[in-house]
Coordinates of all heavy atoms in Angstrom, one line a residue:
K1 N -46.0 -18.6 35.1 CA -46.7 -18.4 33.8 C -47.9 -17.4 34.0 O -48.1 -16.5 33.2 CB -47.1 -19.7 33.2 CG -47.7 -19.6 31.9 CD -48.1 -21.0 31.3 CE -48.7 -20.9 30.0 NZ -49.1 -22.3 29.5
T2 N -48.6 -17.7 35.0 CA -49.8 -16.8 35.3 C -49.4 -15.4 35.6 O -50.0 -14.4 35.1 CB -50.6 -17.4 36.4 OG1 -51.0 -18.7 36.1 CG2 -51.9 -16.6 36.7
Y3 N -48.3 -15.2 36.4 CA -47.8 -13.9 36.7 C -47.4 -13.1 35.5 O -47.8 -12.0 35.3 CB -46.6 -14.1 37.7 CG -46.3 -13.0 38.6 CD1 -46.6 -13.2 40.0 CD2 -45.8 -11.8 38.2 CE1 -46.3 -12.2 40.9 CE2 -45.6 -10.8 39.1 CZ -45.8 -10.9 40.5 OH -45.6 -10.0 41.4
E4 N -46.6 -13.8 34.6 CA -46.2 -13.1 33.4 C -47.3 -12.8 32.5 O -47.3 -11.7 31.8 CB -45.2 -14.0 32.7 CG -43.8 -14.2 33.4 CD -43.1 -12.9 33.5 OE1 -43.3 -12.0 32.7 OE2 -42.3 -12.8 34.4
A5 N -48.3 -13.7 32.4 CA -49.5 -13.4 31.5 C -50.2 -12.2 32.0 O -50.7 -11.4 31.2 CB -50.4 -14.6 31.5
L6 N -50.4 -12.0 33.3 CA -51.1 -10.9 33.9 C -50.3 -9.6 33.6 O -50.9 -8.6 33.2 CB -51.3 -11.1 35.4 CG -52.0 -9.9 36.1 CD1 -53.4 -9.7 35.6 CD2 -52.1 -10.2 37.6
L7 N -49.0 -9.6 33.8 CA -48.1 -8.5 33.5 C -48.3 -8.0 32.1 O -48.5 -6.8 31.8 CB -46.7 -8.8 33.8 CG -46.1 -8.6 35.2 CD1 -44.8 -9.3 35.3 CD2 -46.0 -7.2 35.6
S8 N -48.2 -9.0 31.2 CA -48.2 -8.7 29.8 C -49.6 -8.1 29.4 O -49.7 -7.1 28.6 CB -47.9 -9.9 28.9 OG -48.0 -9.7 27.6
S9 N -50.6 -8.7 29.9 CA -52.0 -8.3 29.5 C -52.3 -6.9 30.0 O -52.9 -6.1 29.3 CB -53.0 -9.3 30.1 OG -54.3 -8.9 29.7
L10 N -51.9 -6.6 31.3 CA -52.2 -5.3 31.8 C -51.4 -4.2 31.1 O -51.9 -3.2 30.7 CB -51.8 -5.2 33.3 CG -52.8 -5.8 34.3 CD1 -52.2 -5.7 35.7 CD2 -54.1 -5.0 34.3
A11 N -50.1 -4.5 30.8 CA -49.3 -3.5 30.1 C -49.9 -3.3 28.7 O -49.9 -2.1 28.2 CB -47.9 -4.0 30.0
T12 N -50.3 -4.3 28.0 CA -50.8 -4.2 26.6 C -52.1 -3.4 26.7 O -52.3 -2.5 25.8 CB -51.1 -5.6 26.0 OG1 -49.9 -6.3 25.9 CG2 -51.8 -5.5 24.6
S13 N -53.0 -3.6 27.6 CA -54.2 -2.9 27.8 C -54.0 -1.4 28.1 O -54.6 -0.5 27.5 CB -55.1 -3.5 28.9 OG -55.5 -4.8 28.6
L14 N -53.0 -1.1 28.9 CA -52.7 0.3 29.3 C -52.0 1.0 28.1 O -52.3 2.2 27.9 CB -51.8 0.3 30.5 CG -52.5 0.0 31.8 CD1 -51.5 -0.4 32.9 CD2 -53.4 1.1 32.3
D15 N -51.2 0.3 27.4 CA -50.6 0.9 26.2 C -51.6 1.2 25.1 O -51.5 2.2 24.3 CB -49.5 0.0 25.6 CG -48.3 0.0 26.6 OD1 -48.2 0.8 27.5 OD2 -47.4 -0.9 26.4
R16 N -52.6 0.4 25.0 CA -53.6 0.5 24.0 C -54.4 1.8 24.1 O -54.9 2.4 23.1 CB -54.6 -0.7 23.9 CG -55.5 -0.8 22.7 CD -56.2 -2.1 22.7 NE -57.0 -2.4 23.9 CZ -56.7 -3.4 24.7 NH1 -55.7 -4.3 24.5 NH2 -57.4 -3.6 25.8
I17 N -54.6 2.2 25.4 CA -55.4 3.4 25.6 C -54.6 4.7 25.6 O -55.1 5.8 25.8 CB -56.2 3.3 26.9 CG1 -55.3 3.2 28.1 CG2 -57.2 2.1 26.9 CD1 -56.0 3.2 29.4
A18 N -53.3 4.5 25.4 CA -52.4 5.7 25.4 C -52.7 6.6 24.2 O -52.9 6.1 23.1 CB -50.9 5.3 25.5
T19 N -52.7 7.9 24.4 CA -52.9 8.8 23.3 C -51.8 9.8 23.3 O -51.7 10.7 24.2 CB -54.3 9.5 23.4 OG1 -54.4 10.1 24.7 CG2 -55.4 8.5 23.2
P20 N -50.9 9.8 22.3 CA -49.8 10.8 22.3 C -50.3 12.3 22.3 O -51.3 12.6 21.5 CB -49.1 10.5 21.0 CG -49.4 9.1 20.7 CD -50.8 8.9 21.2
R21 N -49.8 13.1 23.1 CA -50.3 14.5 23.2 C -49.4 15.5 22.4 O -49.8 16.6 22.3 CB -50.3 14.9 24.7 CG -51.3 14.2 25.5 CD -51.3 14.7 26.9 NE -50.1 14.2 27.6 CZ -49.8 14.5 28.9 NH1 -50.6 15.4 29.5 NH2 -48.7 14.1 29.5
V22 N -48.3 15.0 21.9 CA -47.4 15.9 21.1 C -46.9 15.1 19.9 O -46.9 13.9 19.9 CB -46.2 16.4 21.9 CG1 -46.7 17.4 23.0 CG2 -45.5 15.2 22.5
P23 N -46.7 15.8 18.8 CA -46.2 15.1 17.6 C -44.8 14.5 17.8 O -44.0 15.0 18.6 CB -46.2 16.2 16.5 CG -46.1 17.5 17.2 CD -46.8 17.2 18.6
P24 N -44.3 13.6 16.9 CA -43.0 13.1 17.0 C -42.0 14.2 16.8 O -42.2 15.1 16.0 CB -42.9 12.0 15.9 CG -44.3 11.7 15.6 CD -45.1 12.9 15.9
P25 N -40.8 14.2 17.6 CA -39.9 15.3 17.4 C -39.1 15.2 16.1 O -38.9 14.1 15.5 CB -38.9 15.0 18.6 CG -39.0 13.6 18.9 CD -40.4 13.2 18.6
T26 N -38.8 16.3 15.5 CA -38.0 16.3 14.3 C -36.6 15.9 14.6 O -36.2 15.8 15.8 CB -37.9 17.8 13.7 OG1 -37.3 18.6 14.7 CG2 -39.4 18.3 13.5
A27 N -35.8 15.7 13.6 CA -34.4 15.3 13.8 C -33.6 16.4 14.6 O -32.8 16.1 15.4 CB -33.7 15.0 12.5
A28 N -33.9 17.6 14.2 CA -33.2 18.7 14.9 C -33.6 18.8 16.4 O -32.8 19.0 17.3 CB -33.6 20.1 14.2
E29 N -34.9 18.5 16.7 CA -35.4 18.5 18.1 C -34.7 17.3 18.8 O -34.4 17.5 20.0 CB -36.9 18.4 18.1 CG -37.6 19.7 17.6 CD -39.1 19.5 17.5 OE1 -39.5 18.4 17.3 OE2 -39.8 20.5 17.7
Q30 N -34.6 16.2 18.2 CA -33.9 15.0 18.8 C -32.5 15.4 19.2 O -32.0 15.1 20.3 CB -34.0 13.8 17.9 CG -35.4 13.2 17.7 CD -35.4 12.2 16.6 OE1 -34.4 11.4 16.4 NE2 -36.5 12.0 15.9
S31 N -31.8 16.0 18.3 CA -30.4 16.4 18.5 C -30.3 17.4 19.7 O -29.4 17.3 20.6 CB -29.8 17.0 17.3 OG -29.7 16.0 16.3
A32 N -31.2 18.4 19.7 CA -31.2 19.4 20.7 C -31.5 18.7 22.1 O -30.9 19.1 23.1 CB -32.2 20.5 20.4
R33 N -32.4 17.8 22.1 CA -32.8 17.1 23.4 C -31.6 16.3 23.9 O -31.3 16.3 25.1 CB -34.0 16.2 23.1 CG -34.3 15.2 24.3 CD -34.5 15.9 25.6 NE -35.7 16.8 25.5 CZ -35.9 17.8 26.4 NH1 -34.9 18.1 27.3 NH2 -36.9 18.5 26.3
L34 N -30.9 15.6 23.0 CA -29.7 14.8 23.4 C -28.6 15.7 24.0 O -28.0 15.4 25.0 CB -29.2 14.0 22.2 CG -29.9 12.7 21.9 CD1 -29.5 12.1 20.6 CD2 -29.7 11.7 23.0

């Protein structure tokens, strides 16, 4: 339980400080990427 709580808390904290550097891809860009 303690292990899982630490994993979840660290991941949540790291995700909270994430800042996207590019805009979401358009549908055409998604298709081209795939």
Side-chain angles (χ1 to χ4, degrees):
K1 184 177 179 180
T2 302
Y3 209 109
E4 291 296 334
L6 179 59
L7 272 170
S8 177
S9 180
L10 278 178
T12 299
S13 296
L14 287 162
D15 290 346
R16 190 171 57 243
I17 63 174
T19 53
R21 292 181 287 173
V22 291
T26 65
E29 288 173 331
Q30 293 173 28
S31 297
R33 170 56 64 201
L34 280 170

